[in-house]
Amino acid sequence: MIDGRLADAAADGEESFPRIKTGNPQADEILGGGFPCNSINILMGQPGTGKTIFAQQLLFHNATGGRPLLFVTTLSEPMHKVVSYVQRFDFFNPGRIGDDIQYEDLGAALSERGPIALSDWLSHAIKTRSPKVVVIDSFRAIHDLAISADETRRFISNIAGLLSAYDVTTFLLGEYTQDDIRTFPEFAVADAIVELARQPRSSRDERFLRVLKLRGSAYREGQHAFRITASGLELYPRLVAPREPEKYVSSVDRISTGVHGLDDILGGGLLAGSTTLVVGMAGSGKTTLALQFALEGVRRGEQTLYVNFQENPAQLRRAIGNLGEDPDALQRKGLRLLYASPVELQIDSIVVEIFDAIKSGTIRRLVIDAVGDLGAAASDSQRLHDYLYSLIQHFAARGVTTVLTLESGEGFTGSTLAHDERFSYMSDNLIYLAWSPLKVGHRTIRVVKMRGSAHERDIRGFEIGAEGVRVL
Amino acid sequence: MAQVNTSPDNHLRAVSDLTPQLDIPASNAEGSAIILVVERDPHIRELESYFLNEAGFTVDFAADGLDALTRARDLRPDIIITEVLVPKLDGLALCRTVKSDPDLRHIVMLVFSILAVQSRAREAGADAFLMKPLAEKRLVETVRQLLVMRSAMSQPEETHD
């Protein structure tokens, strides 16, 4: 007989979790590889958050000939607008419209016949067109049709049954709110729920993508910032701490700070791969000290990244010149300057930029001046601390020696310490700079903490001269 | 015409390899073929029925395993396509029963399930296994190839006996 000869017939059934890519590598990364195939997915968010763009980017990415991809509009989104706007994006390809991507407007049919028009259309489309992907925009609009809750439930159960029976991946778009998740039956049948949100922040809005549910798959939790550009959604996946912190090896190598007298009170210099927080009031010399640390690295032939949010490039070049160095020569030797205006600063994009720079593995020294500016740019401070903590873990794992500066308003008071505690716990070393405005020229420096090393605990005086900070 | 699988899935390469030299007219192999589908899900029943009818097959349904056995004896189908999760007698038990019954064992058994149980299906005597969801091209091609293969295999068996 023929049994046993078909052992391989089901091989494709064993690929337990095939994915459909979104056309956006960062979104795929957040989703653990993409949306699961043969699934029902909800893209939710208020009008203008980018749902339609995200869905269409996915369609154009997956339009590779073969089975068609269908985009059907219902009551809230006029089809001609959807098609008209999509042409502005780079991913739009007119050659794909028609055979590969088919747009259809069900608005009139739904108004006339109610939700049954959608289930009939779906059933017919499956039988006659073999769609690979179906996008329904907006699915939430179905709830606006005058039908009872019971009818809605039966309708959605029927639609879900049909879509689950057939080899098709479905995206239901809608202006859903958090409350809808608990009450609307489509959320119970959804395999994935992705929320796009827009939050006002001072003079501009911040957009976030968040995965609320993804059946059978790991995904990256939390809010991932994004912008809408001509290429579609430009996403900044939230940085998470490295998975293998055990790779962290404490170094005994000492790194010179380049600050006269400071290495001595640090027990010979900073430990390689450590993170140092330099705290002080405005004008206390933090930037000068941090700059000296960076320039010392360049002098020693180490690739150095200097991130700053206050001095613009011209101001910074002047500060470097004041320390007797030629900024152009230093940049040729390996100094990289990264500037973002604190007004325009978007924490997610700058963190991604810093992370990309250190991922290359060549950066040995890094300065962030000042982390407080990141705090001011972050819409929630816990998120900033999570970010910084993750970043610092990545620095440590790669042996990058880091100096972070932080402006304190009140000098060495107890309240400042409490305020700074969340910054200080994530740093190995803590240096306080102070000066008294009443007593001209009286500046002090104190090494408060130095993990894994003996150090001097006394308060020492220092001065700022032509060569920068000089510990007395 | 031999139905050599040309789909990119390659999921039925074993079948195609077995029958490369055959040239059985499609009408002989499948034209009058009767398929008994054992399935509870109304959506899958509707779609299976639609696609198999469109492909030229005659389709009948059973809602559970025992009903399928009764119908199989009356109907003498060419193929039984069964889900594993059906009441009274599950799809795998149905395979074993059919394959151990001298009157029914010639019926081709295709297990088409939501469960990834290909090796268990094979142990139960199934001739092929397909994983849900339903993709019409894959289903129809599998059915066609099984029919071609059955025609090819039944000939030497009869002369041997």
Side-chain angles (χ1 to χ4, degrees), chain A residues 81 90 113 183 229 251 395 462:
Chain A
K81 283 205 171 175
D90 298 342
R113 299 174 53 215
T183 50
T229 69
S251 172
F395 299 156
F462 76 90

Side-chain angles (χ1 to χ4, degrees), chain A residues 338-412:
Chain A
L338 186 58
Y339 169 75
S341 149
V343 182
E344 290 301 314
L345 180 61
Q346 204 189 12
I347 175 170
D348 304 273
S349 56
I350 197 81
V351 165
V352 166
E353 212 166 331
I354 296 171
F355 185 58
D356 283 347
I358 64 154
K359 260 200 308 202
S360 66
T362 55
I363 303 278
R364 306 316 308 153
R365 290 192 189 215
L366 179 125
V367 172
I368 301 179
D369 181 24
V371 288
D373 295 323
L374 281 176
S379 42
D380 93 63
S381 65
Q382 187 55 49
R383 203 158 159 264
L384 169 72
H385 286 89
D386 292 349
Y387 257 135
L388 275 178
Y389 179 77
S390 306
L391 256 187
I392 287 166
Q393 296 303 309
H394 283 287
F395 299 156
R398 287 171 169 78
V400 180
T401 312
T402 306
V403 167
L404 311 171
T405 69
L406 177 67
E407 187 165 312
S408 67
E410 306 162 55
F412 297 140

Side-chain angles (χ1 to χ4, degrees), chain A residues 1-10 12-14 38 123 126-128 130 157-158 161-162 164-168, chain B residues 11-12 14-15 18 43-44 46-47 50-51 118 122 125-129 131 133-136 138 146 149 153 157:
Chain A
M1 247 331 264
I2 54 178
D3 64 35
R5 305 304 296 265
L6 285 175
D8 297 328
D12 54 350
E14 274 176 333
N38 312 318
S123 175
I126 285 173
K127 287 173 183 168
T128 56
S130 311
S157 161
N158 183 43
L162 179 62
S164 306
Y166 187 70
D167 178 23
V168 63
Chain B
H11 62 282
L12 274 176
V15 186
L18 207 61
H43 295 289
I44 298 175
E46 188 198 334
L47 292 176
Y50 179 85
F51 292 127
Q118 43 272 52
R122 193 168 60 242
D127 298 290
F129 173 87
M131 185 92 180
L134 195 159
E136 71 270 32
R138 201 166 48 168
L146 285 168
M149 195 166 68
M153 297 303 287
E157 257 192 1

Side-chain angles (χ1 to χ4, degrees), chain B residues 108-122:
Chain B
V108 174
M109 294 298 298
L110 167 58
V111 175
F112 180 44
S113 181
I114 195 76
L115 299 173
V117 290
Q118 43 272 52
S119 51
R120 287 176 59 205
R122 193 168 60 242

Side-chain angles (χ1 to χ4, degrees), chain A residues 119-181:
Chain A
S119 38
D120 284 354
W121 175 84
L122 259 181
S123 175
H124 187 256
I126 285 173
K127 287 173 183 168
T128 56
R129 289 193 260 175
S130 311
K132 183 160 69 177
V133 175
V134 173
V135 176
I136 303 173
D137 186 10
S138 138
F139 192 78
R140 194 192 186 283
I142 299 298
H143 294 272
D144 300 335
L145 295 166
I147 53 170
S148 70
D150 190 44
E151 280 173 307
T152 308
R153 202 165 290 279
R154 269 185 281 130
F155 165 75
I156 286 169
S157 161
N158 183 43
I159 289 263
L162 179 62
L163 292 169
S164 306
Y166 187 70
D167 178 23
V168 63
T169 307
T170 311
F171 294 88
L172 309 178
L173 276 50
E175 306 79 15
Y176 295 104
T177 63
Q178 290 289 328
D179 287 343
D180 294 340
I181 297 176

